[in-house]
Amino acid sequence: MNSWVLIVLMAALCATIFVAGRSRSLNVATGVGGTRYLNSLPFYYGMLSALWAILPALVLVTLWKIFDGQIIEHIVISELPDDVVFEDASQRGLMLNQIYNIMNGQLSADTAPAYLADSVARLQALKAHADLLVAVLVVMVMVGLGGFAWWRINPQLRARAQVENVFQLILLGCASLAILTTIGIVMSVLWESLRFFHAVPITDFLFGLEWSPQTAIRKDQVAGSSSFGAVPLFAGTLLIAGIAMLVAVPTGLMSAIYLSEYAHKKVRAIVKPLLEVLAGIPTVVYGFFAAITVAPFIRDAAVSMGLDNYMAVTSESALAAGLVMGVMIIPFISSLSDDVINAVPQSLRDGALGLGATRSEVIRQVVIPAALPGIVGGVLLAVSRAIGETMIVVMAAGLAAKLTANPLDSVTTVTVQIVTLLVGDQEFDSPKTLAAFALGLMLFIVTLALNYVALHVVRKYREQYE
């Protein structure tokens, strides 16, 4: 049975059971003098009956979809001829891929052995029987439990409280899902990072000045000696993010102050959407703009001023990537800051003006301190966006891991190296691949530290303001 047919069937049964439960509550109410003698409204009796039917059925279908494939594959593999022997799990997986490819028409069954054709037919039959079986079980579960809930309906049944408890548990599960996902991400990254630090000392990683993560397949290869010093990556990340924030924070904050405090409504209606358009431009477009326009312009300008005689000037530079990245994250700061500034009560402005303060003094001494928690949040979001950007850095700053403070030289960032390390077919056993998880762990720690600092600043100014 098709999955969509099963979904429609479950929805129809759920609606039917809801109507039946609601009707029974009305019939019960008629016998006791009316619906005012019921503990809950008829709707909740119908909803309780539907929940009794649909929730166990959903659990059954979910468990079935998780395990039915493994069970069917085990049956198919166990029925292969005795002369077909698998030395390891990879050969077993290869055999299953061949069976699925023949079943999907990607391989011809004429050139395959006869037992593979029999396995394909067996696999199709088992899947059909499994789909039919799960449909029958779902119908039986829904009808049985829905009928039990229908039979339990009486005037004293607290249907509303039970329905609300169920929905409260569902909401709690949804809230817990985000927390469990975060914990899972942290634990997986931490586990792989510990494997990396078992092969490479953490001191070499944190304080090493050379990044060359090339590992050799054989001992006689030149790439056998590798370096995993991440200081050049951290320096490049901070350099580009710092340049971006020098562009984005003043521009975004001043734009927000102008739009909220000085601009006419007609001007604001035009300028604010135009600023927010910048947030919708794909980063690859920014990367093309930085690589084709900004980076050559910066290089030619530096050469014309003679800076190439004193420092390295390359066609890919941290300055080009930082400038374009700063333009990209201006809307994050301006939009959030504008909303926060507009949320400051007008009575505060009027009171300060009534005491003789000028308009600029009101903004500096009243509006900005009151809106500072939201502004710090916008800046933090922008910093996280700058640290996590990859495409602009790849196209405008290059891939060279250099320890330099020269903004006209090519550098790379942590996120770019993570992508580079995980490109292609990689096995998560070598230090080269595991280094990506260590870099990810460092990014997580830095982001956590930024959040802590931001919360400290927000709490300090909020207490002062309150």
Side-chain angles (χ1 to χ4, degrees):
M1 179 179 291
N2 188 278
S3 299
W4 287 108
V5 176
L6 180 60
I7 293 174
V8 172
L9 178 62
M10 293 173 63
L13 280 174
C14 183
T16 303
I17 294 171
F18 170 81
V19 172
R22 185 177 181 276
S23 300
R24 176 170 172 78
S25 66
L26 292 174
N27 294 333
V28 171
T30 303
V32 296
T35 56
R36 66 179 181 273
Y37 293 101
L38 293 177
N39 183 274
S40 306
L41 293 175
F43 168 82
Y44 289 102
Y45 290 99
M47 182 61 68
L48 181 62
S49 301
L51 289 175
W52 267 86
I54 192 65
L55 292 181
L58 289 176
V59 173
L60 175 62
V61 171
T62 302
L63 294 176
W64 189 276
K65 292 299 182 182
I66 292 175
F67 296 107
D68 73 325
Q70 301 177 7
I71 296 174
I72 292 174
E73 290 174 359
H74 178 74
I75 295 174
V76 171
I77 292 297
S78 63
E79 293 179 352
L80 289 173
D82 296 335
D83 56 344
V84 180
V85 180
F86 304 113
E87 297 180 357
D88 52 22
S90 60
Q91 293 184 357
R92 180 179 180 274
L94 181 60
M95 178 64 68
L96 287 172
N97 288 335
Q98 291 180 352
I99 294 174
Y100 279 111
N101 289 334
I102 295 175
M103 186 179 67
N104 297 329
Q106 298 176 356
L107 289 179
S108 176
D110 299 334
T111 58
Y115 66 86
L116 282 181
D118 296 337
S119 300
V120 170
R122 179 62 171 164
L123 180 63
Q124 292 174 335
L126 288 175
K127 282 186 173 294
H129 293 158
D131 293 339
L132 181 60
L133 179 60
V134 71
V136 173
L137 289 177
V138 165
V139 171
M140 292 175 60
V141 168
M142 293 188 68
V143 171
L145 294 179
F148 174 73
W150 178 87
W151 175 75
R152 290 179 63 245
I153 293 176
N154 59 78
Q156 290 75 35
L157 181 64
R158 302 178 61 188
R160 177 181 176 180
Q162 295 185 22
V163 170
E164 290 181 348
N165 289 336
V166 170
F167 277 99
Q168 184 177 357
L169 291 175
I170 293 174
L171 295 176
L172 178 61
C174 293
S176 302
L177 182 61
I179 300 175
L180 294 176
T181 302
T182 303
I183 294 175
I185 292 173
V186 173
M187 294 305 297
S188 62
V189 173
L190 181 61
W191 174 256
E192 299 297 338
S193 300
L194 291 176
R195 292 180 58 194
F196 170 76
F197 292 133
H198 182 73
V200 178
I202 188 172
T203 53
D204 295 347
F205 176 76
L206 293 178
F207 305 108
L209 303 181
E210 184 179 356
W211 177 262
S212 178
Q214 301 299 326
T215 57
I217 300 176
R218 302 187 311 271
K219 293 183 179 180
D220 58 347
Q221 289 183 333
V222 178
S225 59
S226 55
S227 302
F228 292 94
V231 172
L233 307 185
F234 300 148
T237 302
L238 293 177
L239 179 61
I240 294 178
I243 295 172
M245 299 313 297
L246 288 176
V247 175
V249 173
T251 306
L253 185 57
M254 298 305 173
S255 301
I257 293 174
Y258 171 75
L259 291 175
S260 59
E261 300 294 330
Y262 293 100
H264 192 271
K265 290 183 178 180
K266 293 183 179 179
V267 177
R268 174 184 171 84
I270 297 174
V271 175
K272 186 174 175 61
L274 290 178
L275 266 177
E276 293 179 349
V277 165
L278 292 174
I281 300 176
T283 56
V284 66
V285 177
Y286 282 109
F288 277 122
F289 176 69
I292 297 175
T293 305
V294 179
F297 173 78
I298 292 176
R299 180 198 58 201
D300 296 339
V303 171
S304 63
M305 289 186 293
L307 296 179
D308 56 331
N309 297 324
Y310 305 98
M311 62 181 67
V313 177
T314 60
S315 57
E316 296 176 331
S317 62
L319 183 59
L323 290 177
V324 176
M325 191 185 301
V327 173
M328 181 190 67
I329 61 180
I330 285 176
F332 292 93
I333 299 178
S334 64
S335 181
L336 291 175
S337 300
D338 177 65
D339 294 337
V340 172
I341 292 174
N342 283 325
V344 176
Q346 183 62 33
S347 59
L348 295 179
R349 297 180 176 87
D350 296 338
L353 291 172
L355 292 174
T358 63
R359 197 170 188 178
S360 61
E361 289 174 341
V362 171
I363 295 172
R364 287 186 286 106
Q365 299 179 13
V366 177
V367 176
I368 297 301
L372 190 62
I375 294 174
V376 171
V379 172
L380 177 63
L381 177 63
V383 171
S384 302
R385 186 72 176 85
I387 292 177
E389 178 55 38
T390 303
M391 186 59 66
I392 296 177
V393 180
V394 170
M395 302 181 71
L399 300 174
K402 297 181 181 179
L403 181 58
T404 178
N406 179 14
L408 300 177
D409 201 357
S410 61
V411 295
T412 189
T413 62
V414 172
T415 55
V416 171
Q417 287 301 310
I418 291 175
V419 174
T420 304
L421 292 172
L422 297 180
V423 167
D425 296 331
Q426 303 287 349
E427 293 185 1
F428 295 95
D429 293 327
S430 65
K432 176 183 177 181
T433 307
L434 295 175
F437 296 94
L439 293 175
L441 180 63
M442 293 299 106
L443 280 182
F444 176 80
I445 294 174
V446 169
T447 305
L448 185 64
L450 288 175
N451 278 277
Y452 175 78
V453 172
L455 289 175
H456 178 72
V457 172
V458 169
R459 189 179 299 112
K460 177 182 177 182
Y461 279 89
R462 181 175 293 169
E463 291 175 354
Q464 180 180 355
Y465 170 67
E466 292 176 352

